[in-house]
Amino acid sequence: RDPIVRYGAMYAVAMAYCGTADNKSIRKLLHVAVSDVNDDVRRAAVSCIGFLMFRSPESVPKLVSLLAESFNPHVRYGACIAIGVACAGTAFKDAIDLLTPMLEDAVDFVRQGALLAMALVLQQASEARSPSVKKFKDLLVSVVNDKHQTTLAKSGAIMAAGGGNVVVSMQSRAGFMKMGGAVGIMMFLQHWYWYPLMPFLSLAFSPTMLMGLNKDFNMPTQFQVTCNAPPAMFAYHKIEEKKEDATKMVATAVLSTTARAKAREARKEAKKLGRQPSLDSDIPMERVPSHLSTVSYLSLDADKQPAADAKPKKVKEPTFFQLSNPSRLIPTQSRYVSLQEEQRYVPICRKTRPAGIVMLLDTDPSAPETVEKVERVALGQEEMAPVPEPFEWDPNDE
């Protein structure tokens, strides 16, 4: 009967069957999501579906599509989190289409969950790969700068902004589940109750890089791989600089009545001084076109203006590029990577595509090599702490 116990039970099921897509557990979570009387329990039940289904993310949007249209805002928030956790870094179109309407939800915390989930889904996706990236970035800026947005929605937009060198993942490259990553995401979701739990998300970060090491754990600079895809497809997000509006000098318009008034005042001054006004006076006379000649006047001005510079032709982007050592390599990019033939350094394990830390074999060890040394970072004290001496403890002595 205690809703706190039922809330904990939802996450216990999620952690016990994480990544298994167990049918019985999913049915239990869906039953609780639509039948429980407590909003927190229903939100947790829907959110935990993402933990069970993260190995098959393409099925999650269809599974929670009806829950995303629920009248209960807590259930809609849970649907957003389930999609974000399961589809992190995939840029699935079905997930984006389901989250897009909830970005403008009437409830502020639903908008917060939609912003977080969309950021997880579009993590490391470039504008060339998904056109939704540009729209989402513009939306983040508008939400943060909009004074009418609530604090919850703005906090979701701020947390949604992330870097491009890590991706949220609960499994390793070999497919094994990372317990630390699953626990980190679970604890991050508890920021609903306590904001200092947000940094737990860093436990689920996986670096996206390619680093080849030789037998001395140094990086040979001659090692390269080929990515058979355009560079823009996996490029970093563009950092947009603030455009300062240049102040243009606009000529002050002079009305014909103003010019005639000035001429009238000049003639009066000339009569007072005893001079006869003439056409050769120094009074500047301005010609103002009438409204009847506006079309011809504008056409003359248009002829005077210099022709606009022609737009530069777009350079055709190459279909492949080289990745040096070390380099950024995201998970969706690894399928396009291939090894170069007749290369001095080759991976020891050639059955899998190179990604992450790759141990290299030198095919010409007698030749001089150019390497970059990897600095070793000492963690903690250089010397280990001494082992404590054995002792006996008796609880009755207290």
Side-chain angles (χ1 to χ4, degrees), residues 15-22 26 48-60 82-83 85-88 90 92 169-179 182:
M15 294 296 101
Y17 297 96
C18 186
T20 60
D22 183 65
I26 294 175
C48 290
I49 295 176
F51 288 93
L52 272 70
M53 301 290 294
F54 79 86
R55 293 187 191 274
S56 53
E58 63 279 354
S59 305
V60 178
I83 295 174
V85 171
C87 304
T90 59
F92 280 154
S169 178
M170 288 186 287
Q171 62 180 346
S172 63
R173 290 192 299 110
F176 297 100
M177 190 189 73
K178 297 191 301 182
M179 187 179 298

Side-chain angles (χ1 to χ4, degrees), residues 260-274:
R260 286 196 294 267
K262 288 182 178 181
R264 194 181 305 114
E265 292 294 332
R267 286 195 296 269
K268 289 181 181 179
E269 292 293 332
K271 288 181 179 179
K272 289 180 181 180
L273 298 175

Side-chain angles (χ1 to χ4, degrees), residues 39 74 144 153 162 203 206 212 281 288 357 365:
D39 289 335
H74 292 266
V144 173
L203 294 176
S206 295
S281 58
V288 180
I357 297 178

